[in-house]
């Protein structure tokens, strides 16, 4: 293993270009381990921690509130220093959050603190990793590499769901969180040692968090607002998917809710890459509008699928694909529309607003579930999924003006 690591460190292709893209995608999968570990065992935590649906929504959403709290600073820093350094700090923090959860979580409040820390770690890795990739790749292939990186988020999500479920069955949930935490910390090693050090080509003067030029960029903000609606729907779905499948008893016994969730993430990754390629060819903004409306319709159907058995599981896989079609396209659109010297700041705004939606989605879903009758009522699940579809349908409104301007 030492010999392999030495070979990696000596390999020039790993430090830049395609090699850097592959390394960052691999590291992203590892750092995603702790992110959805709570959601993958949500039914178990609802029982053992005695949580209401609203409290469960808070614990699912607080991770993304923590992300939104820190990501403006973490991403803006990448305009002034090597994004690799920010990434290493974020990976270590993400790992520590899972280890702390394994050791100390026993109720709502202790879990809340640990899940908040997980979001801070994610803020230091996801978008700073994208900036590290952009800084180390160029040319006509760059949009494709960006879509591969953003799509790797889904692969990391699937790994988180599957690994947590398997490890919890074998070793218990505390050991599962511990293993995933160590994996996230391990990701800091190749990123810190194998990526070629590289400062931003143009370092901006002025205040770190002067985001006004980004908000003034109408094209960037169109994609950012579309991303907000997308993230609300996506993370509302991912946070509650396992709990819904457990309620709906979807599929045969071998097709467990965590396995469906893991398969959904793989399907979502493929859809994200395919959606980005389609959008690049046929118009990014227009394609994202169509994708969002399709997923909104499917959200309503999923909410009605309790009791459909295997068909509900298949529909859930299809829904995950539709939700992810515009994910990479929206992020790529925002980055490419940004001024080169303000890409870090643009990524900061994109993530701040987008993951604000990621925080609100799970929370609103749990609130609707409680108000409509609770997690034991099929009608309540229908209303909760319909609320996701309603927000998703708002996304095209943000992109409509951009599409109309280009048509004129």
């Amino acid at each position: 293993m030492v010999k392999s690591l030495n070979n990696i460190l000596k390999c020039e292709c790993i430090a830049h270009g395609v090699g850097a893209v592959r390394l960052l995608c691999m590291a992203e999968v590892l750092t995603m381990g702790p992110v959805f570990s709570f959601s993958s065992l949500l039914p178990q935590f609802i029982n053992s921690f005695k949580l209401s649906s609203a409290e469960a929504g808070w614990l699912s959403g607080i991770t993304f509130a923590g992300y939104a709290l820190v990501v403006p600073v973490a991403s803006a820093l990448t305009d002034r220093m090597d994004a690799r350094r920010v990434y290493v700090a974020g990976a270590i923090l993400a790992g520590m959050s899972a280890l702390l959860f394994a050791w100390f979580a026993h109720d709502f409040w202790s879990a809340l603190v640990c899940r908040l820390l997980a979001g801070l770690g994610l803020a230091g890795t996801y978008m700073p990793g994208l900036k590290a990739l952009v800084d180390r790749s160029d040319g006509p292939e760059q949009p494709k590499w960006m879509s591969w990186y953003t799509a790797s988020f889904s692969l990391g999500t699937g790994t988180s769901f599957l690994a947590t479920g398997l490890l919890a069955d074998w070793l218990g949930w505390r050991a599962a969180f511990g293993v995933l935490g160590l994996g996230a910390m391990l990701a800091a090693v190749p990123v810190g040692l194998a990526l070629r050090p590289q400062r931003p080509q143009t370092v901006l003067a002025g205040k770190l968090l002067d985001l006004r030029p980004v908000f003034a960029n109408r094209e960037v903000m169109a994609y950012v607002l579309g991303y907000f609606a997308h993230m609300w729907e996506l993370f509302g779905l991912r946070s509650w998917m396992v709990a819904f499948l457990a309620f709906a008893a979807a599929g045969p016994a071998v097709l467990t809710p965590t396995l469906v969730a893991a398969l959904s993430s793989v399907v979502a990754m493929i859809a994200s890459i395919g959606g980005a390629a389609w959008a690049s060819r046929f118009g990014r903004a227009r394609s994202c509008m169509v994708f969002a409306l399709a997923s909104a319709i499917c959200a309503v159907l999923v909410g009605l699928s309790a009791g459909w058995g295997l068909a509900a599981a298949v529909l859930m896989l299809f829904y995950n694909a539709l939700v992810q079609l515009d994910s990479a396209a929206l992020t790529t659109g925002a980055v490419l529309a940004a001024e080169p010297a303000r890409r870090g700041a643009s990524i900061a705004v994109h993530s701040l607003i987008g993951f604000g939606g990621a925080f609100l989605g799970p929370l609103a879903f749990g609130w609707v579930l409680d108000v409509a009758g609770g997690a034991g009522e099929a009608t309540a699940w229908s209303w909760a999924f319909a609320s996701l579809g309603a927000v998703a349908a708002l996304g095209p409104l943000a992109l409509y003006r951009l599409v109309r301007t280009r048509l004129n």
Side-chain angles (χ1 to χ4, degrees), residues 26 90 94 109 158 174 202 224 246-247 321 350 408:
M26 177 194 71
W109 291 108
R174 293 189 185 275
T202 303
V224 167
F247 166 79
H350 186 70
N408 295 335

Side-chain angles (χ1 to χ4, degrees), residues 12 54 59 61 68 125 141 181 194-195 218 252 281 285 298 307 311 334 338 342 348 384:
E12 194 71 16
L59 291 177
T125 55
E141 295 292 301
L195 281 186
R218 291 185 177 181
R281 182 175 180 181
C298 194
R342 299 187 186 278

Side-chain angles (χ1 to χ4, degrees), residues 384-407:
F385 274 101
S387 73
L388 292 185
V391 174
L394 296 176
L397 295 178
L399 296 165
Y400 174 72
R401 184 174 181 180
L402 183 60
V403 171
R404 188 178 63 178
T405 300
R406 288 181 176 175
L407 288 176

Side-chain angles (χ1 to χ4, degrees), residues 60-254:
S60 295
I62 196 64
T63 300
F64 310 112
Y67 177 100
L69 183 67
V70 171
V71 75
V73 175
S75 295
L77 277 173
T78 64
D79 281 334
R80 298 166 184 262
M81 62 188 294
D82 191 346
R84 172 180 62 101
R85 295 168 60 188
V86 180
Y87 191 100
V88 168
I92 293 172
L93 182 57
M96 288 179 60
S97 72
L99 293 175
L100 289 172
F101 193 96
W103 289 333
F104 299 118
H106 64 279
D107 61 6
F108 172 76
W109 291 108
S110 57
L112 191 74
V113 173
C114 295
R115 298 309 297 162
L116 175 64
L117 291 176
L120 304 187
L122 180 62
T125 55
Y126 182 40
M127 287 301 173
L130 178 62
K131 183 58 162 53
L133 182 151
V134 170
D135 288 343
R136 291 167 174 83
S137 64
D138 50 30
E141 295 292 301
Q142 190 184 64
K144 181 174 73 173
W145 300 137
M146 291 167 60
S147 69
W148 274 91
Y149 178 83
T150 54
S152 293
F153 192 100
S154 293
L155 181 59
T157 299
T159 301
S160 180
F161 275 116
L162 184 60
T164 304
L166 293 176
L167 289 170
D169 287 342
W170 295 339
L171 304 172
W173 69 263
R174 293 189 185 275
F177 272 78
V179 171
L180 293 173
L182 292 174
M185 296 179 77
L186 180 64
V189 177
V191 172
L193 298 180
L195 281 186
R196 178 188 300 164
Q198 183 169 329
R199 286 180 58 82
Q201 294 181 356
T202 303
V203 179
L204 293 172
K207 297 180 180 179
L208 175 65
L209 290 179
D210 184 7
L211 304 177
R212 289 173 297 178
V214 179
F215 284 105
N217 188 324
R218 291 185 177 181
E219 186 172 358
V220 169
M221 291 308 299
Y223 286 110
V224 167
L225 294 176
Y227 191 61
F228 172 83
H230 162 74
M231 294 293 275
W232 180 304
E233 180 188 23
L234 175 63
F235 285 88
L237 166 63
R238 285 182 172 171
S239 296
W240 286 96
M241 175 168 43
V242 171
F244 172 72
L245 291 171
F247 166 79
V254 69

